[in-house]
Amino acid sequence: MYRTKTCGELRLADVNCEVILAGWVHKIRKMGGMTFIDLRDRYGITQLSFNQEVDANLCEQANKLGREWVVQVTGTVKERSNKNPNLATGDIELIVSKLIVLNPSKTPPFTIETDTDGGDDLRMKYRYLDLRRTVVRQNLELRHRMAFETRRYMDEHGFLEVETPVLVASTPEGARDFIVPSRMNQGEFYALPQSPQLLKQLLMVAGFDRYFQIVKCFRDEDLRADRQPEFTQIDCEMSFVQQEDILNIFEGLTKHLFKTIKNIDLPEFPRMSYADAMKYYGSDKPDIRFDMKFVELKDLTEGHNFSVFDSAEYVGGICANGCANYTRKQLDELTDFVKRPQIGAKGLIYVRYNEDGSIKSSVDKFYGESDLRAWIDRFNANPGDLLLILAGETEKTQKQLSELRLEMGTRLGLRDKFNYKCLWVVDFPLLEKDEELGRYFAKHHPFTSPKPEDIPLLDTDPGKVRANAYDMVINGVEVGGGSIRIHDSELQKKMFATLGFTEERAQEQFGFLMNAFQYGAPPHGGIAFGLDRLVSIFAGLDSIRDCIAFPKNNSGRDMMLDAPSKVDQAQLDELGIMIKEKK
């Protein structure tokens, strides 16, 4: 056999046992007549010891090894004289009596260490080497445990795991589909699913009652640190439920994962309306690890001939506790931050409420001390605090202020990755209007149910209709979202009409679903969690890439497989596809 033990399991209890290990050469250290090798496998590292005086040939053989060579060793476990408290196996070493090289290795293009010297593209090109790094492997092990615990929880709560097709029909709305040409039906195309949304609703019509799936989904959209063209969802649907039933089940799943994976007991998740999230945080995924809520000042700023405030639809700010001593350089840095093109503010107003009770602001020319004290009272500020204020169009300025709030939270050390704060955001708008196109689009998707009391507004004021929709947010990251679905075919027709669908187009795109609703569709709703995002939060990562085995880069390319790539003309001919040459 290749091994009798792994490199991570030997302990003092194994002293004097003869064992066989196999793995990769991690490090080589030569000290006089001794050679020490750290042998690594998936389970850990064991120190191997070779003594020139005991066996010169074996020691010489060891000295010829290189990093990442694959070897097999036989030896006797002994207690180490210089123990390593940083290793689980640090109390022992293996006195090697036999060494076999199973495979040599070229020198890796980067170090296989926690703090590697490889850049992102290089590591992605040699991802199979990057995965040998302990820190990356641990992320994949964490992902496995979370998927396993999810399946266990869902099974205990009566859910069936059902696989849905990967080749489906393309649907409008939402992100762009990845399109797959059909060879047998030339001129026609499949799409890769953005989610199993329609299929899981059909499973509810079929009477499956509680469905889940850990499923790959695909969206052809611009990439960010928390997005990949293919990603994994914990996808769920339930029948005969209301919103509260779904929130309770999946709050329970989240608490179960935190308890079993991180041994953390989470308190009850607060609920926040979308309207309050935007009013106080300027975001539908507020980070509630720290306070710093928005305070509106428009009514206190008018009539002082300060055109920036007078012409603004919205004036609001945040109170940074203990920051009145910020230097001019620090204030200029914050001003430059909000004026970045990605944020787009025209400037930043500040008010220092100094420790001695005095007040200094960037608008002293327009506002007297009594005016500024009214602002301070509105903020409930204390001596030593700093007020930071933006003005402009309401929605745009709230988003800018949200970015400023997060930046201040980071600067003040208030965004600890391992301080977990969860909440539900509820009562989203059902629709959003594209003013240029003059039509409404579904905020979530066209199968989301409106609040029952808001249904009449579909005929009179669609923009005010609230959705029976909800998002779970952890530390300012949306990790999951869902809704109660429309199960009445007449209401679904009304929804399609509000979205500008003709009856013919609605029937063409979604006829199979609307027809199914005529055969006794139960009330139902669901949710989907982003497994990649959830794992990255548990691991404290800034990007989801390091918890995906073989991710794409920021351009959507697989650097290792060199995909996407061109295909032979013969393949295109079979598909009936002609590539238009670029001019």
Side-chain angles (χ1 to χ4, degrees):
M1 60 182 66
Y2 279 112
R3 62 186 179 187
T4 58
K5 296 286 185 179
T6 69
C7 294
E9 65 178 303
L10 295 174
R11 300 292 187 271
L12 284 173
D14 299 298
V15 167
N16 295 326
C17 293
E18 185 173 86
V19 300
I20 303 172
L21 302 180
W24 286 263
V25 174
H26 187 63
K27 285 182 180 178
I28 304 173
R29 301 183 301 280
K30 300 173 185 178
M31 303 173 64
M34 300 291 294
T35 297
F36 298 100
I37 291 176
D38 287 345
L39 189 67
R40 185 195 72 245
D41 64 10
R42 170 188 147 191
Y43 306 95
I45 290 176
T46 296
Q47 177 173 284
L48 311 179
S49 178
F50 299 83
N51 191 327
Q52 177 77 25
E53 294 181 2
V54 174
D55 192 330
N57 289 334
L58 188 62
C59 194
E60 183 180 353
Q61 190 180 358
N63 289 335
K64 292 179 180 178
L65 300 177
R67 285 190 297 126
E68 300 306 308
W69 284 37
V70 186
V71 300
Q72 179 193 53
V73 293
T74 304
T76 303
V77 181
K78 294 295 182 182
E79 183 174 2
R80 283 176 65 165
S81 57
N82 57 329
K83 294 180 172 59
N84 184 349
N86 298 317
L87 284 181
T89 59
D91 290 338
I92 59 91
E93 63 183 354
L94 191 70
I95 308 302
V96 178
S97 58
K98 184 179 180 181
L99 168 64
I100 297 174
V101 175
L102 299 176
N103 222 330
S105 171
K106 294 171 63 177
T107 301
F110 52 85
T111 56
I112 312 298
E113 300 283 353
T114 297
D115 296 320
T116 183
D117 56 358
D120 285 350
D121 283 350
L122 185 64
R123 290 192 298 110
M124 292 305 102
K125 183 176 181 179
Y126 296 94
R127 182 62 168 175
Y128 46 87
L129 297 179
D130 195 43
L131 287 169
R132 293 181 186 176
R133 294 168 56 222
T134 300
V135 64
V136 182
R137 187 197 71 241
Q138 288 174 340
N139 292 337
L140 270 294
E141 290 172 347
L142 172 64
R143 185 188 183 99
H144 160 77
R145 291 175 61 205
M146 292 181 69
F148 180 85
E149 289 297 338
T150 295
R151 285 190 164 95
R152 186 168 75 164
Y153 178 91
M154 300 303 281
D155 179 65
E156 290 173 352
H157 286 78
F159 286 80
L160 289 175
E161 184 167 12
V162 182
E163 293 182 354
T164 52
V166 173
L167 297 176
V168 298
S170 180
T171 57
E173 313 290 324
R176 296 184 186 89
D177 288 327
F178 280 102
I179 301 299
V180 181
S182 171
R183 178 183 60 83
M184 298 176 67
N185 301 277
Q186 287 197 7
E188 296 183 320
F189 299 84
Y190 299 106
L192 301 180
Q194 296 185 32
S195 84
Q197 180 61 45
L198 303 180
L199 294 158
K200 67 181 181 178
Q201 289 190 249
L202 290 173
L203 286 171
M204 296 302 102
V205 177
F208 276 69
D209 194 77
R210 291 190 172 196
Y211 140 94
F212 89 101
Q213 185 179 188
I214 298 179
V215 59
K216 276 285 182 135
C217 300
F218 307 84
R219 290 179 189 170
D220 188 5
E221 58 186 355
D222 296 335
L223 303 181
R224 299 196 301 256
D226 61 347
R227 285 184 181 174
Q228 286 275 299
E230 55 179 306
F231 57 96
T232 305
Q233 282 186 181
I234 304 170
D235 197 60
C236 314
E237 198 80 3
M238 302 169 68
S239 291
F240 304 110
V241 290
Q242 297 177 327
Q243 177 173 297
E244 197 64 25
D245 301 307
I246 294 175
L247 299 193
N248 288 335
I249 285 284
F250 293 99
E251 183 170 322
L253 169 61
T254 308
K255 289 178 178 178
H256 172 77
L257 291 175
F258 271 99
K259 182 61 178 177
T260 56
I261 303 297
K262 298 187 77 71
N263 196 29
I264 293 174
D265 291 301
L266 292 177
E268 295 298 309
F269 296 4
R271 312 283 172 86
M272 184 183 300
S273 70
Y274 171 86
D276 281 349
M278 296 306 297
K279 179 177 181 179
Y280 296 117
Y281 299 95
S283 171
D284 58 4
K285 44 183 185 295
D287 186 343
I288 59 170
R289 283 174 290 184
F290 61 105
D291 194 13
M292 220 179 287
K293 291 181 181 178
F294 295 180
V295 174
E296 296 181 18
L297 291 173
K298 177 64 177 175
D299 60 310
L300 298 180
T301 64
E302 295 176 327
H304 291 264
N305 297 319
F306 184 49
S307 60
V308 173
F309 284 171
D310 289 345
S311 62
E313 180 183 27
Y314 175 92
V315 180
I318 55 175
C319 179
N321 298 139
C323 294
N325 60 355
Y326 264 33
T327 65
R328 183 69 205 189
K329 181 181 178 182
Q330 288 173 301
L331 292 169
D332 287 344
E333 286 176 354
L334 292 175
T335 301
D336 291 340
F337 174 80
V338 298
K339 290 172 73 173
R340 291 164 55 198
Q342 304 96 308
I343 299 176
K346 293 181 179 179
L348 175 66
I349 305 300
Y350 70 84
V351 179
R352 282 197 182 101
Y353 187 18
N354 296 313
E355 291 281 2
D356 62 5
S358 63
I359 302 172
K360 176 65 179 174
S361 83
S362 54
V363 288
D364 286 344
K365 180 179 177 181
F366 300 95
Y367 297 92
E369 183 172 336
S370 61
D371 301 312
L372 298 177
R373 286 205 179 273
W375 298 6
I376 286 168
D377 290 343
R378 177 72 60 87
F379 276 92
N380 289 320
N382 295 309
D385 291 348
L386 176 69
L387 311 186
L388 299 170
I389 300 164
L390 296 177
E393 297 174 17
T394 300
E395 186 175 340
K396 187 176 179 181
T397 307
Q398 286 175 332
K399 289 179 179 179
Q400 294 164 351
L401 201 52
S402 173
E403 294 295 332
L404 178 60
R405 175 181 178 271
L406 294 176
E407 175 67 12
M408 289 305 298
T410 300
R411 289 184 178 223
L412 296 173
L414 303 175
R415 302 180 71 193
D416 179 359
K417 292 178 182 178
F418 300 106
N419 174 26
Y420 301 102
K421 296 295 183 182
C422 311
L423 80 152
W424 290 104
V425 178
V426 298
D427 295 349
F428 283 81
L430 181 70
L431 307 166
E432 55 186 346
K433 190 170 187 179
D434 186 312
E435 296 296 342
E436 289 186 13
L437 296 177
R439 55 162 290 201
Y440 285 100
F441 288 85
K443 184 86 172 176
H444 192 53
H445 56 58
F447 318 105
T448 298
S449 172
K451 289 279 187 182
E453 61 270 28
D454 289 356
I455 291 176
L457 292 172
L458 285 172
D459 295 319
T460 58
D461 195 350
K464 289 187 177 179
V465 179
R466 294 169 300 156
N468 241 331
Y470 32 82
D471 280 356
M472 181 183 287
V473 178
I474 303 177
N475 292 359
V477 177
E478 176 207 330
V479 297
S483 66
I484 299 298
R485 323 302 187 190
I486 297 171
H487 67 279
D488 177 81
S489 56
E490 290 304 312
L491 180 56
Q492 188 65 70
K493 286 180 182 178
K494 180 183 283 287
M495 181 66 169
F496 283 141
T498 303
L499 294 171
F501 283 69
T502 63
E503 286 191 26
E504 293 76 17
R505 185 178 169 218
Q507 186 64 33
E508 179 186 345
Q509 295 285 348
F510 304 110
F512 62 93
L513 181 68
M514 297 170 73
N515 293 341
F517 281 178
Q518 297 175 19
Y519 290 90
H524 60 283
I527 194 169
F529 282 11
L531 179 62
D532 312 300
R533 289 186 185 180
L534 206 51
V535 174
S536 68
I537 288 172
F538 273 57
L541 302 172
D542 293 322
S543 168
I544 64 173
R545 284 188 305 195
D546 278 339
C547 62
I548 298 173
F550 299 102
K552 309 292 187 290
N553 68 8
N554 286 340
S555 300
R557 294 198 66 83
D558 187 316
M559 300 296 291
M560 183 181 67
L561 300 177
D562 193 25
S565 61
K566 295 181 179 180
V567 298
D568 292 337
Q569 186 59 49
Q571 289 179 272
L572 295 176
D573 291 343
E574 277 191 317
L575 296 167
I577 293 177
M578 181 180 295
I579 302 296
K580 184 183 292 186
E581 292 186 10
K582 293 181 180 179
K583 295 182 179 179

